Structures are given as C-alpha cells and as structure tokens.
C-alpha cells in the first residue's frame, strides 16, 4: 500500500499528530540557530545549498525504495508551486531573523493556522466550526502578545518590527502550502512527493540566488554556520517537509498547523539550551494562550 492510501483513519490520524508534534520541536531549532548566524550569510545562498542537501538526502531514501514512479512526473508545475511556497517561506525567515528575536519570529509563525484554515477552505472547502474559530483566535492573540513583547502600547499601535513584517509574508506562503499538498497530490507516495518538492525548491533558489551563492566566502564561514546549515538541511528541511506532507494527508489543514502554536515554547527551550536570556515573564502569557489554542484545536 502506498503512503497516500489511508487504511485506518483513526490510527493514521494519530500518526499525523505524532508527526506534527515532532515537527514543532524540530522546526524550533531553525529559529534559534538561524537567529545566531542570520547576519553571516545571505539567506538565499544558505537556503539554496540547504535544499540541495535536503533533496539529495531524500533522494537516497527514495532510490532505495524503488525510485520515482512514472506517474509522479505528471504535471511537474505542481512541484514548482509547492517549492515556490517553501522558497519564499525559508528565505523570508532568515531575512527576518536578521533583526527579529527567535521567539518573536516563532510567534509570527504561529499565525499560520489562521491563514491555513482560510486557504484550506479556498482549496479544499474544509470548514471550521465555532470551537476551531475560537481556538485560532486565541492562538493569534497569544502570538501577537509575544510578537509585541507584552507591550500593550505597541500592541494597540500595531508597531511591528521589520524582521517580523518580512517573515509574515513567508508565513502566508507556508499557510498556503499545507492545504496545497493535499490539493495537488495525485496519489504519489509522501517520500516521492517530498523529494520532488524539495528538488523544485532547490532549483528555484539556485537560479534566483546564483549571484549571492557565488559571492559567499564558503571556506571563511565559522563552524556554527555549517552546523546550522546541516541542521536546517537534514532536520528542518527534509525531515520536517516529510512530516508536514505526511500529516497533511491525514489531518485537516487547521489541525496540522495547530502544532505551530507550540513552536515558541520549543524555541524558549532551545534558547535556554544555547545559553540565551529568557524573555520577560509577561511574554510567557502569550505562550500559555498558545497552549490553550492547541488544546481547543485538537479536541475531537
């Protein structure tokens, strides 16, 4: 049976939830590590190489499992659309991290469930009930509280930092990506679909960022940049893309993206592990609201 065939909906849904829990923890690391090296390498150059590495890693697994079936090459424009969404998301993420603190950027990321629910309705006609609407609203308030660093004056004036504003548009692309996976998938196994999406993203960035790639002093980069590059390539790219696509075939878009509300909490743990200072206690109120949103979204 292919990855796209769902035999036991309840069991497959549980696996989807586990996949997204892992996703939220792993993607948080890219915020903390990316925040430390964002000003040392051009975002397009970093992401072009990371997706080449990520696609090669997934290709090795796909090849062992029999390669890419012929029908997967039909309508290759699908992978360009999905790869384009990811290219926008990751480039704006690292561009935003040049000025936005990792926890604040992660909070911007938690706005994606609201947008994903909207895209889910547009592409798949996935409806949302009042409980989900309330959860999405609660999560959005929690995210905004963290973004504005618990400053009520800034919150009411809606004074968004430049980095957060840049990354927001990447989150719009990510929100569209989630329902688009199910919309554009034609029965391809998840690993194959992941490989072709990563390859398309790598191709887009290699063309778009050719100048920045040539201008980068790759041998002069400090070790932490290379550690981050390997992490985001093998963990925050190939692994998380697979996890999102796996979950997107098993859960509604709003529930898939619900786990992004956990990202700021994971980022806090990453920041502590990397020796960074803890945000003010009032900022943690937004994190608590995010946990409430997750509980509401996941309630059956």
């Amino acid at each position: 049976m292919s990855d796209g065939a769902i035999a036991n909906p309840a069991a497959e849904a549980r696996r989807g939830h586990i996949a997204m829990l892992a996703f939220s923890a792993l993607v948080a690391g890219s915020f903390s590590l990316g925040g430390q090296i964002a000003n040392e390498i051009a975002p397009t150059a970093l992401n072009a190489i990371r997706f080449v590495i990520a696609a090669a890693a997934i290709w090795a697994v796909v090849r062992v499992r029999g390669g890419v079936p012929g029908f997967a090459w039909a309508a290759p424009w699908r992978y360009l659309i999905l790869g384009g969404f990811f290219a926008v998301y990751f480039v704006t993420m690292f561009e935003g991290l040049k000025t936005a603190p990792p926890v604040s950027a992660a909070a911007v990321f938690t706005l994606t469930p609201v947008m994903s629910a909207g895209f889910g309705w547009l592409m798949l006609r996935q409806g949302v009930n009042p409980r989900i609407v309330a959860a999405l609203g609660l999560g959005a308030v929690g995210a905004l509280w963290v973004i504005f660093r618990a400053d009520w004056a800034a919150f009411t004036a809606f004074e968004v930092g430049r980095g957060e504003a840049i990354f927001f548009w990447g989150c719009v692309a990510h929100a569209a990506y989630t329902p688009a996976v199910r919309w554009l998938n034609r029965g391809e196994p998840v690993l194959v679909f992941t490989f072709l999406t990563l390859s398309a993203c790598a191709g887009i960035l290699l063309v778009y960022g050719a100048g920045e790639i040539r201008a980068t002093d790759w041998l002069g980069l400090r070790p932490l940049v290379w550690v981050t590059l390997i992490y985001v390539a093998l963990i925050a790219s190939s692994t998380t893309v697979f996890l999102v696509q796996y979950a997107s075939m098993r859960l509604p878009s709003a529930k898939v993206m619900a786990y992004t509300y956990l990202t700021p909490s994971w980022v806090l743990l990453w920041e502590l592990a990397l020796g960074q200072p803890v945000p003010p206690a009032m900022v943690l109120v937004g994190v608590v609201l995010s946990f409430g949103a997750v509980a509401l979204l996941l309630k059956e």
Side-chain angles (χ1 to χ4, degrees):
M1 182 178 67
S2 70
D3 293 325
I6 308 299
N8 185 331
E12 292 298 329
R14 284 194 296 272
R15 294 188 181 101
H17 287 300
I18 293 171
M20 289 310 299
L21 181 62
F23 164 86
S24 66
L26 295 175
V27 79
S30 60
F31 286 99
S32 293
L33 290 170
Q36 297 198 37
I37 60 93
N39 289 295
E40 300 181 37
I41 181 174
T44 307
L46 172 69
N47 284 287
I49 302 306
R50 80 184 280 190
F51 277 106
V52 169
I53 297 172
I58 293 294
W59 164 243
V61 179
V62 169
R63 185 174 183 181
V64 168
R65 296 186 60 173
V68 178
F71 72 90
W73 295 107
W77 54 267
R78 295 177 296 152
Y79 309 115
L80 288 174
I81 290 176
L82 294 174
F85 283 149
F86 258 140
V88 172
Y89 168 72
F90 282 109
V91 170
T92 58
M93 173 185 171
F94 279 87
E95 187 65 37
L97 283 170
K98 289 181 177 181
T99 54
V103 175
S104 183
V108 177
F109 183 53
T110 63
L111 295 175
T112 54
V114 178
M115 296 183 287
S116 187
F119 283 118
W121 183 85
L122 286 172
M123 297 180 192
L124 304 170
R125 290 298 186 265
Q126 291 178 341
V128 291
N129 58 38
R131 174 176 52 79
I132 291 180
V133 171
L136 293 174
L138 182 64
V141 170
L144 291 171
W145 189 253
V146 176
I147 292 168
F148 292 109
R149 299 166 180 78
D151 185 340
W152 181 249
F155 187 90
T156 54
F158 213 79
E159 297 172 353
V160 183
R162 180 178 181 274
E164 288 90 340
I166 291 172
F167 184 45
F168 171 78
W169 294 109
C171 291
V172 173
H174 195 289
Y177 171 86
T178 305
V181 168
R182 184 179 291 193
W183 185 44
L184 296 175
N185 186 280
R186 298 183 179 180
E188 294 88 355
V190 174
L191 271 173
V192 171
F193 208 62
T194 300
F195 163 67
L196 293 173
T197 300
L198 290 172
S199 298
C201 185
I204 291 169
L205 289 172
L206 285 172
V207 173
Y208 178 75
E212 291 184 343
I213 294 170
R214 289 194 298 268
T216 300
D217 179 12
W218 295 99
L219 297 179
L221 298 174
R222 65 181 175 128
L224 182 59
V225 178
W226 285 104
V227 170
T228 302
L229 177 58
I230 297 302
Y231 180 87
V232 297
L234 299 181
I235 305 299
S237 292
S238 55
T239 302
T240 58
V241 170
F242 170 80
L243 291 173
V244 170
Q245 293 194 344
Y246 182 90
S248 294
M249 297 300 296
R250 291 158 174 80
L251 300 171
S253 298
K255 289 197 174 188
V256 170
M257 300 314 295
Y259 284 92
T260 63
Y261 287 134
L262 298 180
T263 304
S265 302
W266 286 115
V267 170
L268 286 173
L269 295 178
W270 273 90
E271 291 288 280
L272 289 173
L274 293 171
Q276 300 300 311
V278 181
M282 283 300 293
V283 172
L284 300 181
V285 172
V287 175
V288 173
L289 291 176
S290 297
F291 271 101
V294 173
L296 283 174
L297 281 170
L298 298 183
K299 178 178 170 57
E300 294 296 338

